Amino acid sequence: MADDAHFALAELYRNKMNQPEKAKSHYEKIIYNYQDSYYFPQARKNFRILRGDALN
């Protein structure tokens, strides 16, 4: 349930509140603490986009 909350908060910060730094911190928590989460692949992708990485 914690990974659900972190993902929901990250999406809220990224899409509605326009606060990418706060969104990145929530995506990062999923990446480092919940590797088996359903949201892990999307969190990693969104984190890389917010960080400015070039995606293939």
Side-chain angles (χ1 to χ4, degrees), residues 1-27:
M1 286 201 279
D3 60 330
D4 294 337
H6 283 298
F7 190 79
L9 283 170
E11 290 291 294
L12 179 68
Y13 282 127
R14 184 172 69 100
N15 296 322
K16 301 290 184 189
M17 300 179 84
N18 197 24
Q19 296 182 1
E21 289 303 315
K22 287 186 178 182
K24 275 179 26 180
S25 75
H26 286 285
Y27 288 134

Side-chain angles (χ1 to χ4, degrees), residues 2 13 18 21 23 29 37 48 56:
Y13 282 127
N18 197 24
E21 289 303 315
K29 287 178 185 176
S37 170
R48 288 178 176 170
N56 296 344

